[in-house]
Amino acid sequence: MDSNTCKLYIADVTILNNDSEYEKYSKIVSEERRLKAAKIKARKEKNLSLGAGVLIELAMRDLKLTVDNFCPTMDTDREGEVYYNLSHSGSKAILAACNNRVGCDVEWMGRHTLSEDMELKLSDRFFTRGEYECIRAAHEKADAAEGLMAQALREEAREVFFRIWTLKESIIKAAGKGLAIPLDSFEVSREAEGFTLRTITPGEVNFEEYSLYTEDFGDNYCYSVCIHSNEEYELQTERIDL
């Protein structure tokens, strides 16, 4: 794939609720993925797992790669020509692919996903003080408004929470260490030009080497990507119709 390009594949897996469609797509994924999905009892999670496997196969075809040079970011023992990471939420499965290690996260931002109180409690417990204050200030601004303005500001406050959440998830995945990295050891800041990243507690990960991308496609989902490079990348999105 082109250098300084990251591809984000997005699929809605609702169609997999149909047994015949599920069976059809189960034939194109790897045996490992097919068995993994088969072990999941909840149909929603089963569909998402299979959908993620479908994205792996379709991305390899699109990028003309094989399992030998298409490497999961979290497999830190391997080097690949292109790295990929998966995430899913609601009815969406996504895959980010890049020539540097990459992490991605998607979350549904539905009105009843989390209450304002729960967003603040989670932020206070797991995020940095700066991230918590950013989210709290957004909610206080909404609480001080009235009518349609208050409703719009509440939606904005919810979005700020989900942007920070999905970016932090993407960062720890791009670093290949997951939750072994304390979530309060780095900070995602909301700036006029977007979101920036800085180190709070120095460790083995240099967060200044990473770049952040977050997208809003008007579908009530938050899509975020982190790339292990401080160079500017073009994020190309491809929606996959299952």
Side-chain angles (χ1 to χ4, degrees):
M1 64 188 301
D2 295 338
S3 60
N4 295 91
T5 296
C6 177
K7 295 203 71 171
L8 180 64
Y9 300 87
I10 303 172
D12 190 300
V13 305
T14 304
I15 195 173
L16 298 180
N17 282 320
N18 182 293
D19 289 342
S20 62
E21 293 291 336
Y22 184 96
E23 182 65 24
K24 179 178 73 175
Y25 282 103
S26 69
K27 294 177 181 178
I28 74 170
V29 301
S30 68
E31 181 179 4
E32 179 183 5
R33 174 62 60 167
R34 185 164 54 252
L35 293 174
K36 179 178 181 179
K39 292 177 181 179
I40 301 173
K41 293 183 178 180
R43 186 57 183 261
K44 176 184 174 182
E45 298 303 320
K46 180 189 293 287
N47 292 346
L48 288 168
S49 180
L50 184 68
V54 171
L55 287 182
I56 294 174
E57 301 303 320
L58 296 181
M60 284 196 294
R61 293 180 191 178
D62 181 44
L63 300 173
K64 298 178 173 58
L65 298 169
T66 68
V67 292
D68 294 325
N69 51 17
F70 197 42
C71 179
T73 288
M74 297 296 288
D75 188 351
T76 56
D77 294 329
R78 283 181 57 194
E79 295 292 331
E81 179 181 337
V82 174
Y83 298 91
Y84 73 90
N85 188 236
L86 298 161
S87 182
H88 48 69
S89 177
S91 65
K92 305 292 186 184
I94 69 171
L95 181 150
C98 186
N99 61 356
N100 278 304
R101 292 191 184 271
V102 61
C104 66
D105 192 45
V106 58
E107 293 294 339
W108 180 58
M109 297 188 293
R111 185 181 301 275
H112 304 294
T113 306
L114 292 172
S115 66
E116 174 184 336
D117 184 57
M118 183 57 69
E119 288 178 11
L120 291 173
K121 284 182 178 179
L122 289 172
S123 303
D124 187 36
R125 181 178 179 185
F126 295 109
F127 293 177
T128 67
R129 182 51 40 182
E131 292 164 343
Y132 167 76
E133 292 297 339
C134 176
I135 294 166
R136 185 180 64 81
H139 278 295
E140 287 185 347
K141 186 177 179 180
D143 292 339
E146 297 180 353
L148 293 176
M149 179 59 72
Q151 181 178 340
L153 289 174
R154 277 193 289 272
E155 294 296 330
E156 181 179 332
R158 178 182 290 111
E159 184 173 331
V160 170
F161 170 80
F162 278 102
R163 295 286 168 207
I164 293 175
W165 176 4
T166 56
L167 284 168
K168 290 178 81 72
E169 288 280 354
S170 300
I171 292 161
I172 62 176
K173 293 166 78 176
K177 298 182 181 297
L179 288 173
I181 300 175
L183 289 175
D184 59 359
S185 65
F186 60 93
E187 184 169 276
V188 174
S189 300
R190 187 191 187 198
E191 310 289 350
E193 68 277 11
F195 290 88
T196 59
L197 175 61
R198 71 185 182 97
T199 300
I200 298 297
T201 306
E204 57 182 303
V205 178
N206 180 4
F207 295 105
E208 277 65 38
E209 296 178 349
Y210 293 78
S211 55
L212 305 180
Y213 305 84
T214 186
E215 295 288 347
D216 177 6
F217 300 116
D219 57 1
N220 218 17
Y221 284 82
C222 181
Y223 303 86
S224 292
V225 173
C226 176
I227 300 170
H228 189 177
S229 172
N230 51 23
E231 296 183 12
E232 184 175 348
Y233 273 71
E234 177 187 2
L235 187 61
Q236 297 181 350
T237 304
E238 183 168 343
R239 291 187 176 272
I240 305 298
D241 293 324
L242 298 185

